[in-house]
Amino acid sequence: MRAWVSTAYGAAALLAASMCANAADGKTPASLTDALAVIQSHRFVDLTHAFAPGIPHWKGAPNETVKTLYTVEKDGFRINEYCHIGQWGTHVDPPAHFHDGLHTVDQIDPKDMLMPLVVIDVHDKAAKNPDYVLSVDDIHSWEQRHGRIPRGAFVAMRTDWAKRWPDDQALANKDAAGVFHYPGWSMPVLKLLYEERGITASGHETTDTDPGAATTKDDYSLESYILGTNHYQIELLSNLDQVPEAGALVWITFPKVENGSGFPARVIAVVP
């Protein structure tokens, strides 16, 4: 067994194995309290950008507006009205974002919100080539170091594009001809991950799944593929440079919006 078991995920896996072993030999299985103690002994990293008016966003989205309706000074409490699209800030894209009849935000299974975290780190390649797209070789290289990507994982593409936040022009990286230049996924990688490895979801630091050269032409075929498999994704992740390639857990939350086509999300990693 590789280094995977020496990490936070490994600790959780060992705890699960211990529970099974104890049950088999008649001993009292470990409790959820024990599991919580294991998780809380590790470091938490917020992978979420705070959202506000003016933040970087998809080119077709209107800006957020915030209106204060009540104040502590006048009313004894404060209430703000927030008006923004579902795909605002670090957010969840459910399958229904692109495909009628597939899962909406409220239909995503809570069990699919806590997963092993796999980080495919290509930030050096993206620094040299802003149009870089993830390759199957990148996945195989990760697996050579850490073992097969676990079924049910959340796979994040690390490009360090989040370090350009909150400069919208820097994230879009548009040239004089109006072409966007930012990294993205590739269809061979996505098919490998979703169809062969059986991952639960994926995410990235940019505004789009597809690379900038494609979205300039309104080509969102890669995002459509992911959501068409009835899986969800997270966009505009942050702080992937603070988590390991393997061994962390990721906890993803978002409001239960009825028939929701997307909403801001909170993404937290539990790391060694």
Side-chain angles (χ1 to χ4, degrees):
M1 186 171 279
R2 306 196 182 198
W4 189 267
V5 296
S6 65
T7 59
Y9 175 66
L14 289 173
L15 176 61
S18 175
M19 293 173 71
C20 293
N22 287 338
D25 63 16
K27 296 180 181 178
T28 303
S31 67
L32 289 177
T33 301
D34 297 326
L36 179 61
V38 171
I39 291 173
Q40 289 185 331
S41 70
H42 294 283
R43 184 168 57 94
F44 284 57
V45 177
D46 197 339
L47 304 183
T48 317
H49 291 291
F51 70 83
I55 62 170
H57 53 274
W58 174 65
K59 64 181 180 180
N63 196 17
E64 178 191 10
T65 61
V66 180
K67 180 180 179 181
T68 300
L69 304 180
Y70 301 91
T71 67
V72 173
E73 181 181 8
K74 181 180 177 181
D75 306 293
F77 53 89
R78 180 163 69 104
I79 294 179
N80 288 342
E81 177 184 81
Y82 303 93
C83 295
H84 56 77
I85 65 166
Q87 276 67 21
W88 193 252
T90 304
H91 64 270
V92 57
D93 287 327
H97 177 41
F98 269 49
H99 301 280
D100 290 336
L102 297 187
H103 287 164
T104 53
V105 167
D106 51 314
Q107 293 174 328
I108 294 174
D109 192 330
K111 288 185 178 180
D112 290 336
M113 298 181 187
L114 179 62
M115 297 160 280
L117 175 60
V118 168
V119 178
I120 309 298
D121 183 1
V122 293
H123 79 279
D124 287 339
K125 296 177 180 179
K128 296 174 182 176
N129 176 16
D131 296 309
Y132 187 77
V133 295
L134 206 62
S135 72
V136 171
D137 284 344
D138 293 321
I139 305 302
H140 290 162
S141 177
W142 188 97
E143 293 187 324
Q144 286 173 2
R145 296 190 299 275
H146 306 291
R148 187 179 175 92
I149 290 175
R151 188 171 187 85
F154 179 88
V155 179
M157 177 181 179
R158 178 189 165 189
T159 58
D160 282 1
W161 222 250
K163 294 183 178 181
R164 298 175 179 235
W165 186 276
D167 188 333
D168 195 22
Q169 292 185 351
L171 264 83
N173 199 27
K174 185 166 62 173
D175 65 20
V179 177
F180 299 120
H181 297 279
Y182 51 78
W185 297 80
S186 70
M187 187 64 79
V189 164
L190 292 175
K191 287 189 173 183
L192 171 65
L193 293 174
Y194 281 96
E195 297 178 23
E196 297 185 31
R197 298 298 183 266
I199 69 169
T200 290
S202 54
H204 42 271
E205 299 169 68
T206 54
T207 55
D208 299 285
T209 314
D210 299 79
T215 63
T216 301
K217 300 177 290 186
D218 293 325
D219 177 1
Y220 303 102
S221 55
L222 299 182
E223 180 169 358
S224 181
Y225 166 77
I226 293 174
L227 304 184
T229 66
N230 219 12
H231 291 262
Y232 73 91
Q233 68 169 15
I234 300 292
E235 295 192 311
L236 290 170
L237 290 166
S238 181
N239 296 327
L240 288 174
D241 60 325
Q242 298 182 29
V243 299
E245 289 187 341
L249 300 177
V250 67
W251 172 32
I252 299 175
T253 66
F254 37 82
K256 190 176 181 179
V257 185
E258 185 175 355
N259 199 32
S261 62
F263 214 77
R266 191 70 179 269
V267 183
I268 301 169
V270 185
V271 306

